[in-house]
Amino acid sequence: MDQDLHCTAERELLEAVSRITTSSTTSPSDEEENQPNAEISCQVRKENPEKDDTQDSSATLSPNSSMTTKELQEYWRNEKRQCKQIKLLFEIPSTRIVEHHLSKYVMYKIIILQTGSFDSSKSVIERRYSDFEKLHRNLLEEFSEEMEDVTFPKKTLTGNFTEEIINERKLAFKDYLRLLYSMKYIRRSKKFIDFLTRPELQEAYGCLRGGQYTKALEILLEVIGLQERLTRGNPVSVVPTLCAIVVCHKDLENAASAFEYGEKALSRLRVHTSHRYYIPLLETMITLAYELGKDFLSLQEKLEEWKTKKDPIRVFTLKELAVREYVQ
């Protein structure tokens, strides 16, 4: 009798989770029209799947009949935690005029805030008019239909540095970013994400290659938060940045911090063991775990398991992979 009651309860819980999971994967077209800036992080449906690292390749646990009641309850708790409305707000509070040799231009300070969660941190970047112009051109090539009604502030022959024109562009660029982010395909596109993160990443990796690990680490720690906000549906895409942070901490002899970020990277590669960073990261984590007196045997077992399934191939070290990122 007790066994029958246990099975019945387990089936009911499974059905409840399945119903909620099904409802969370439906297309929120009406809701998204009413709240264009909202990004539902629990949405599982993927658009434009690609095989490379830049696209959404995350695999999440789904309820099935082999799960115990405890596992189903834990699954549901995780779903509730993840199903939050997430949106980013863009503010351009100030500008500065830069005069460099024969050139002169305006830098726009962009503050990116996240709402809808307990995370109150913000990201700050700077972009000039030509950066916005390049973004607009690139998006027109890929999203001509979506960009049909998007206006872009045009250049003027004179007066580009007057307070009036600069203030007008501040408001125009703020609205421009808000509008781009409201369109699902665009806010998930590599071109949009690159506009917001690539210059800082290029600078950080340049410092890393030059052995300036403290400066590289400072920039990487600033940009990783923004990257994670922009790629919530694709956690694997931030693995290279996490691994670069591991490399910096390791070379600065901060083994504990290196191990901490290595664990974050490994958690994102749990079901992506063919990822180019997986084995170099595992090898680095084994070294760090041994140094810190942590359990390295389980990591060693994963490495040996991988080697028995794969043909022997040349594998770069974690540092060798990191210094190859963003090489022009």
Side-chain angles (χ1 to χ4, degrees):
M1 179 68 70
D2 292 339
Q3 185 176 2
D4 291 341
L5 290 173
H6 176 76
C7 293
T8 301
E10 186 171 312
R11 283 197 301 273
E12 289 175 352
L13 181 58
L14 174 61
E15 291 172 0
V17 173
S18 298
R19 285 197 299 273
I20 294 170
T21 304
T22 301
S23 66
S24 70
T25 59
T26 56
S27 175
S29 55
D30 294 336
E31 183 178 351
E32 192 157 4
E33 286 297 321
N34 294 331
Q35 299 177 351
N37 287 343
E39 175 73 24
I40 309 301
S41 62
C42 63
Q43 185 175 345
V44 182
R45 180 169 170 255
K46 308 293 190 298
E47 272 75 24
N48 296 334
E50 298 285 348
K51 292 185 179 180
D52 61 25
D53 297 337
T54 62
Q55 298 296 327
D56 193 343
S57 57
S58 62
T60 55
L61 179 68
S62 59
N64 57 68
S65 58
S66 64
M67 294 170 67
T68 65
T69 302
K70 184 177 179 180
E71 288 173 334
L72 286 166
Q73 290 171 338
E74 180 61 26
Y75 173 85
W76 174 231
R77 280 195 292 268
N78 289 334
E79 284 294 299
K80 286 176 67 178
R81 282 196 294 266
Q82 293 173 8
C83 291
K84 301 173 183 175
Q85 273 202 335
I86 303 297
K87 66 177 180 179
L88 297 182
L89 301 177
F90 299 88
E91 298 290 340
I92 304 181
S94 62
T95 62
R96 63 187 178 95
I97 297 176
V98 178
E99 295 190 55
H100 184 67
H101 296 303
L102 300 177
S103 64
K104 184 179 178 181
Y105 52 88
V106 179
M107 292 294 289
Y108 296 85
K109 181 179 180 180
I110 306 168
I111 296 179
I112 305 162
L113 301 165
Q114 176 179 304
T115 64
S117 77
F118 296 108
D119 184 6
S120 60
S121 61
K122 63 184 179 182
S123 299
V124 181
I125 60 175
E126 282 189 317
R127 296 294 182 267
R128 54 188 291 187
Y129 181 94
S130 59
D131 296 324
F132 281 97
E133 191 176 39
K134 182 180 178 182
L135 170 66
H136 191 70
R137 213 166 40 242
N138 289 338
L139 291 177
L140 282 174
E141 292 176 1
E142 187 174 351
F143 304 101
S144 57
E145 186 174 341
E146 290 87 345
M147 296 288 291
E148 190 174 23
D149 297 323
V150 178
T151 58
F152 187 81
K154 294 181 179 180
K155 278 186 176 180
T156 58
L157 295 176
T158 60
N160 286 303
F161 301 102
T162 64
E163 185 177 352
E164 182 183 1
I165 292 296
I166 290 175
N167 285 334
E168 285 179 4
R169 286 183 176 172
K170 276 170 54 179
L171 295 173
F173 283 141
K174 173 186 172 180
D175 290 340
Y176 178 73
L177 290 173
R178 180 196 60 79
L179 183 56
L180 293 183
Y181 186 76
S182 73
M183 293 182 275
K184 181 166 55 178
Y185 292 103
I186 290 179
R187 70 170 172 260
R188 294 179 179 180
S189 71
K190 185 176 184 300
K191 291 177 179 178
F192 182 68
I193 294 171
D194 278 353
F195 168 78
L196 295 171
T197 60
R198 189 177 181 87
E200 286 72 23
L201 287 172
Q202 286 177 321
E203 182 183 0
Y205 279 98
C207 291
L208 193 157
R209 283 189 290 273
Q212 301 175 38
Y213 302 115
T214 301
K215 179 62 174 176
L217 183 59
E218 179 185 333
I219 300 171
L220 290 168
L221 291 175
E222 285 287 333
V223 79
I224 186 65
L226 178 56
Q227 264 192 307
E228 289 177 329
R229 290 175 180 84
L230 292 166
T231 60
R232 282 188 171 273
N234 182 16
V236 177
S237 64
V238 301
V239 165
T241 305
L242 288 172
C243 287
I245 292 174
V246 172
V247 169
C248 289
H249 274 306
K250 188 172 183 296
D251 277 51
L252 290 170
E253 300 183 353
N254 301 328
S257 296
F259 191 83
E260 177 189 347
Y261 279 92
E263 285 187 315
K264 292 180 181 180
L266 269 183
S267 69
R268 288 160 170 78
L269 295 179
R270 187 175 58 252
V271 293
H272 301 281
T273 57
S274 61
H275 194 283
R276 71 187 188 281
Y277 270 89
Y278 181 68
I279 293 305
L281 178 59
L282 260 185
E283 292 174 338
T284 299
M285 290 294 284
I286 291 169
T287 302
L288 290 169
Y290 183 79
E291 181 181 341
L292 293 167
K294 295 180 178 290
D295 172 29
F296 64 89
L297 293 178
S298 59
L299 296 170
Q300 188 70 47
E301 288 174 2
K302 291 180 181 179
L303 180 60
E304 296 301 326
E305 180 184 355
W306 185 91
K307 287 181 177 179
T308 60
K309 294 180 180 179
K310 304 288 184 178
D311 294 330
I313 56 173
R314 166 154 169 67
V315 177
F316 293 108
T317 66
L318 196 67
K319 189 172 183 178
E320 286 173 338
L321 277 179
V323 298
R324 282 168 168 76
E325 294 285 347
Y326 293 94
V327 175
Q328 298 299 328

